[in-house]
Amino acid sequence: MASTSAAHSHLQKYETRWRDLHDFLKEKGYKLRSRYSPDWVPSWTNTNKAPIKCEDGVRSPHSHLLDARRTHDGARVSLKSIDVSRHPYEIEIGRYFCSSPLSEDPANHCVPIYDVLEVPTDNNLAILVMPLLRDATDPFFDTVGEVVDCVHQLFEGLRFMHRHHVAHRDCMQLNILMDGSMFIDEWHPSDQYMSEDLKRAARHRTRTQSPPRYYYIDFGISRKYDASNTNPLEIPIYGGDKEVPEFKEDYSKPWNPFPTDVWYLGHAIQETFLDRYLGVEFLSGLVSDMMHSDPAQRPNMDEVFSRFQVIRQGFSNWKLRSRVAHDEERSIFDFLAHWARRIQYIVRRIPPTHTSLS
């Protein structure tokens, strides 16, 4: 039988840190995948299988994130390790949005925090327990209504944060995720295209059939301000998006982070939709204003949300059901498949959107 020391040679250095937390997490009610068990023996041992084809052969793509199962109900969760000395406000802000009555507000699209685990062997290390979410851009969007629902939730969510005096400061494309409402199969956390056992592509419905909820994650550099501080100023901190125009203008000058948030979200929508899809041109004017090079000329999130409501108010059901075509789905087959779905939605009276005008 293969030794566990040989098995652990397959782990990356950052993965061994999760392996070392295995028993602690188990005691707290969270079970890691077999790959991170101290007595793990790779399933491909003494077989002709390639590790990449095995469920336990795929490593986590992120050093500070890992999936787990909550033992009392089997729910899949995401674990995030944070250095509280570097990110002292992340837990505070996350808990703030999970507190009542904010947690009951449907406009709140901040990722829920289920638990905060303090690691006894490291005073600077904490582990946040959150729902297991996935890339918001996959699978592709199919209709104008699906895009409208997504953008509505994103505008609503950032407006909610700003109304509660919190600037996200890193609300870029990768920090926008969605739940698994669309998915028939549970997906593999390290290969989200595949089923959990890696035996097939994870089956899913469309956003029209099973609308997902979209979330903002990662409050590591977020800040909460006093309501009386109407023009907070912060020395820039680069998040994942390095293109912020005011930071390029003067990185040493303090800037108000709220207009920067507006730019971040506008750029995320530009990258997600306007750069990749046909049929989303209705977003271009508003997104252009959100990305104005002068922060003072950008609309605030109340204005952004109101303008978007006016845009969508003018859409008929026919428009909302119309196709948006990703640049990888432009074939005649994709066109015909869209129309087959469209007719099905009409016959079954499935509404084209699942968010309401506000």
Side-chain angles (χ1 to χ4, degrees), residues 8 14 64 97 149 152 155 160 183 197 202 246 286 319 347:
H8 293 154
Y14 70 83
H64 62 289
F97 284 120
D149 277 348
H152 176 102
F155 287 166
F160 180 84
F183 280 78
D197 59 9
E246 54 265 38
L286 179 54
K319 171 68 173 179
V347 170

Side-chain angles (χ1 to χ4, degrees), residues 73-85:
D73 62 0
R76 298 205 300 173
V77 296
S78 177
L79 307 176
K80 180 182 181 181
S81 65
I82 61 170
D83 184 338
V84 294
S85 64

Side-chain angles (χ1 to χ4, degrees), residues 104-252:
E104 288 89 42
D105 194 320
N108 183 352
H109 290 270
C110 300
V111 61
I113 308 294
Y114 294 153
D115 203 353
V116 178
L117 308 177
E118 296 179 356
V119 179
T121 56
D122 188 339
N123 292 334
N124 287 326
L125 181 63
I127 297 175
L128 303 184
V129 183
M130 301 168 286
L132 184 66
L133 304 175
R134 60 174 291 122
D135 180 359
T137 67
D138 175 64
F140 296 145
F141 290 78
D142 184 45
T143 69
V144 168
E146 292 178 359
V147 174
V148 164
D149 277 348
C150 175
V151 173
H152 176 102
Q153 291 187 45
L154 298 183
F155 287 166
E156 177 181 63
L158 190 57
R159 181 184 68 158
F160 180 84
M161 278 188 268
H162 285 191
R163 284 185 166 185
H164 289 87
H165 317 294
V166 173
H168 188 287
R169 304 180 75 199
D170 195 16
C171 46
M172 44 113 39
Q173 186 184 49
L174 296 179
N175 285 333
I176 296 168
L177 301 180
M178 69 179 185
D179 67 17
S181 301
M182 297 171 60
F183 280 78
I184 301 166
D185 295 324
E186 293 186 332
W187 64 89
H188 193 287
S190 299
D191 187 352
Q192 295 191 353
Y193 178 74
M194 299 299 293
S195 62
E196 191 173 26
D197 59 9
L198 285 185
K199 291 182 178 179
R200 61 174 179 268
R203 294 170 298 168
H204 60 84
R205 303 176 185 88
T206 67
R207 288 172 166 82
T208 301
Q209 294 168 313
S210 299
R213 184 167 177 82
Y214 299 91
Y215 291 95
Y216 290 99
I217 65 165
D218 194 355
F219 300 102
I221 59 175
S222 302
R223 292 292 183 272
K224 186 177 187 302
Y225 302 97
D226 190 276
S228 62
N229 188 354
T230 57
N231 186 36
L233 297 174
E234 295 278 2
I235 295 294
I237 299 177
Y238 271 121
D241 190 330
K242 314 299 184 187
E243 301 301 316
V244 180
E246 54 265 38
F247 293 0
K248 289 184 173 183
E249 176 186 326
D250 190 343
Y251 193 63
S252 63

Side-chain angles (χ1 to χ4, degrees), residues 23-30 71 115 117-118:
D23 292 346
F24 165 73
L25 292 167
K26 184 178 180 180
E27 290 174 4
K28 294 296 184 180
Y30 303 100
T71 53
D115 203 353
L117 308 177
E118 296 179 356

Side-chain angles (χ1 to χ4, degrees), residues 148-149 152 156 159 305-315 320 353-358:
V148 164
D149 277 348
H152 176 102
E156 177 181 63
R159 181 184 68 158
F305 189 77
S306 295
R307 286 177 58 180
F308 184 68
Q309 298 310 297
V310 172
I311 291 171
R312 67 172 293 182
Q313 192 172 25
F315 290 165
L320 292 168
T353 60
H354 300 271
T355 55
S356 302
L357 283 164
S358 300

Side-chain angles (χ1 to χ4, degrees), residues 46-66:
N46 298 325
T47 73
N48 293 323
K49 294 179 180 178
I52 196 67
K53 298 293 185 180
C54 300
E55 183 281 326
D56 59 341
V58 185
R59 65 176 181 264
S60 173
H62 305 288
S63 62
H64 62 289
L65 293 172
L66 194 65

